[in-house]
Amino acid sequence: MLIDFVPTVGGVSLAEAPAFQKAAGGAPANVAVGIARLGGSSAFVGKVGADEFGYMLADILKRNNVDTSGIKFDHNARTALAFVTLRADGEREFLFFRNPSADMLLQESELATDLIKKAKIFHYGSISLIHEPCKSAHLAAMKIAKDSGCILSYDPNLRLALWPSAEAARNGIKSVWDQADVIKISEDEITFLTGGDDPYDDDVVLKKLFHHNLKLLIVTEGSGGCRYYTQEFKGRVAGVKVNAVDTTGAGDAFVSGIIYNLASDQSIFQNEERLRKALYFANVCGAITVTQRGAIPALPTKEAVLQFAET
């Protein structure tokens, strides 16, 4: 969980931006809010600085009905900051201030173990695997979740600029690959993880990325929708057409939608019709999110999703 600084005007590089606006960011935090907004029950585990930004982030989660009892505040490190822009050429540019930031300093001893044990689903990214002591805390949390019968949900959310090298990113992301029950990846991440293979080739996905413990692998294609692969079937759910204003948080909204459905109905791993409905619901969550600026403010309610699905 961190603060994103976004230019007040679109289509400029960070250097060209006249001013920046602050927003709550961080994929797992977005997902936690997304689930709560849909009417689900979510909690966040992590660390921020004992500073104005850290308190602001915890407060935003609390106001959005996310359980914040797993948040720790560090008095010796600041809350992470990221300057993010979508340039005119469509490329995203990131500049991170984390040297080290509080999130990187979460200790295993600080984990809210009872909170994790209560969960049906434990969702995580890969950024918490880059640095110690956070990496050890992350791995310990996964073990607690697995031992408690949680479904492990993984969205690698590649941010190459944060890793020491491309090889370190590839190895780090893959280091926990075989433990996940559900994985969501984008086309770009397939190309990166396979070393340049065609992200649209089912054989590539099944041979190189699917594993025997996996119950569901989802490949998101932005406005094009998503593909799904399970032990028994595979297919595609078309995207939803909207006028996009800001794509920030679309993937996190999608993840919220699928996790929300999974928490109440695990038969979607075996029932293709139900899975397709859940993925359509998730596609709508992502589509609604891109029609507004910012990630957290744009995440939809369940009513909004159902209303949109009817039109």
Side-chain angles (χ1 to χ4, degrees), residues 38-184:
L38 290 168
S41 165
S42 65
F44 180 82
V45 175
K47 202 177 202 182
V48 291
D51 51 44
E52 285 302 308
F53 286 150
Y55 298 127
M56 178 193 114
L57 290 171
D59 190 52
I60 286 171
L61 290 194
K62 207 173 280 180
R63 284 204 312 264
N64 282 284
N65 301 315
V66 175
D67 182 328
T68 57
S69 59
I71 297 182
K72 296 290 174 200
F73 296 89
D74 197 303
H75 289 272
N76 300 310
R78 297 275 189 234
T79 301
L81 309 179
F83 288 79
V84 190
T85 187
L86 188 64
R87 297 193 316 231
D89 61 7
E91 282 301 308
R92 279 170 97 180
E93 203 180 325
F94 291 95
L95 180 60
F96 293 96
F97 287 76
R98 299 169 83 233
N99 29 304
S101 53
D103 58 290
M104 296 154 69
L105 303 176
L106 181 70
Q107 309 263 357
E108 188 179 333
S109 60
E110 295 175 311
L111 289 172
T113 50
D114 291 346
L115 197 60
I116 296 168
K117 285 176 183 172
K118 277 195 298 198
K120 272 189 188 166
I121 299 169
F122 181 66
H123 177 74
Y124 48 90
S126 68
I127 291 166
S128 39
L129 293 168
I130 303 174
H131 298 281
E132 290 291 3
C134 186
K135 179 182 177 180
S136 292
H138 178 136
L139 295 173
M142 280 175 62
K143 186 173 183 340
I144 293 162
K146 195 75 161 172
D147 291 348
S148 306
C150 291
I151 291 170
L152 297 192
S153 165
Y154 184 26
D155 176 1
N157 217 351
L158 175 67
R159 293 288 177 268
L160 207 45
L162 292 176
W163 292 85
S165 67
E167 190 184 4
R170 209 171 277 119
N171 294 339
I173 287 170
K174 284 185 164 173
S175 69
V176 294
W177 199 262
D178 291 353
Q179 295 177 56
D181 298 297
V182 179
I183 296 176
K184 172 252 167 200

Side-chain angles (χ1 to χ4, degrees), residues 240-252:
V240 181
K241 297 286 173 273
V242 290
N243 290 324
V245 174
D246 178 12
T247 57
T248 312
D252 301 330

